[in-house]
Amino acid sequence: MVAEITVNNTDEFQELVDNKDIRIAKAIVDGILENMNNKKKHVHVLSVNCLEEASTFDITLDRKYFAETLQENLKYYVEQELYEECSKIVEAINKLKEKSK
């Protein structure tokens, strides 16, 4: 299931991104982990509902960036001291790197 975040406008979403909101990192990481074994080239990881614009933006990720994206988001999990999830992320990164060899 794809995570959804509802904001008033795109500026509010940008503020969440700038403030490194853990909900965004969690949505991205969960989306990657849930799709590790499928063959889709692009994976839908997050929907952002903007109330004022009456629109939804779907964020997708190319499979070739999975490891890099997990590595980038790992630091947010460490900051939040979510160590069990950190170990799952590291395991997934290692698995992806092994596959790419």
Side-chain angles (χ1 to χ4, degrees):
M1 183 166 155
V2 175
E4 288 188 20
I5 293 178
T6 301
V7 293
N8 289 317
N9 52 47
T10 53
D11 290 337
E12 185 178 328
F13 180 67
Q14 185 60 51
E15 192 174 309
L16 292 177
V17 171
D18 293 344
N19 291 328
K20 299 168 179 45
D21 191 290
I22 190 67
R23 293 176 296 167
I24 297 171
K26 188 161 179 44
I28 293 168
V29 168
D30 289 350
I32 292 171
L33 295 179
E34 288 172 10
N35 288 282
M36 288 278 293
N37 296 319
N38 76 26
K39 300 298 180 198
K40 292 181 187 176
K41 182 174 167 79
H42 295 96
V43 174
H44 181 198
V45 293
L46 177 63
S47 289
V48 180
N49 300 311
C50 294
L51 300 176
E52 291 175 6
E53 287 100 356
S55 58
T56 300
F57 299 96
D58 292 325
I59 299 173
T60 61
L61 182 63
D62 191 310
R63 176 173 295 285
K64 68 182 175 184
Y65 298 114
F66 275 13
E68 180 181 327
T69 303
L70 286 172
Q71 188 70 51
E72 178 66 27
N73 284 282
L74 179 59
K75 61 187 169 193
Y76 305 122
Y77 279 75
V78 171
E79 287 173 8
Q80 295 289 319
E81 299 180 358
L82 301 169
Y83 299 122
E84 282 186 39
E85 288 88 349
C86 288
S87 67
K88 291 177 187 175
I89 294 169
V90 170
E91 186 178 309
I93 292 168
N94 291 338
K95 186 175 179 182
L96 289 164
K97 287 182 179 178
E98 190 63 36
K99 273 186 182 179
S100 68
K101 288 183 180 179

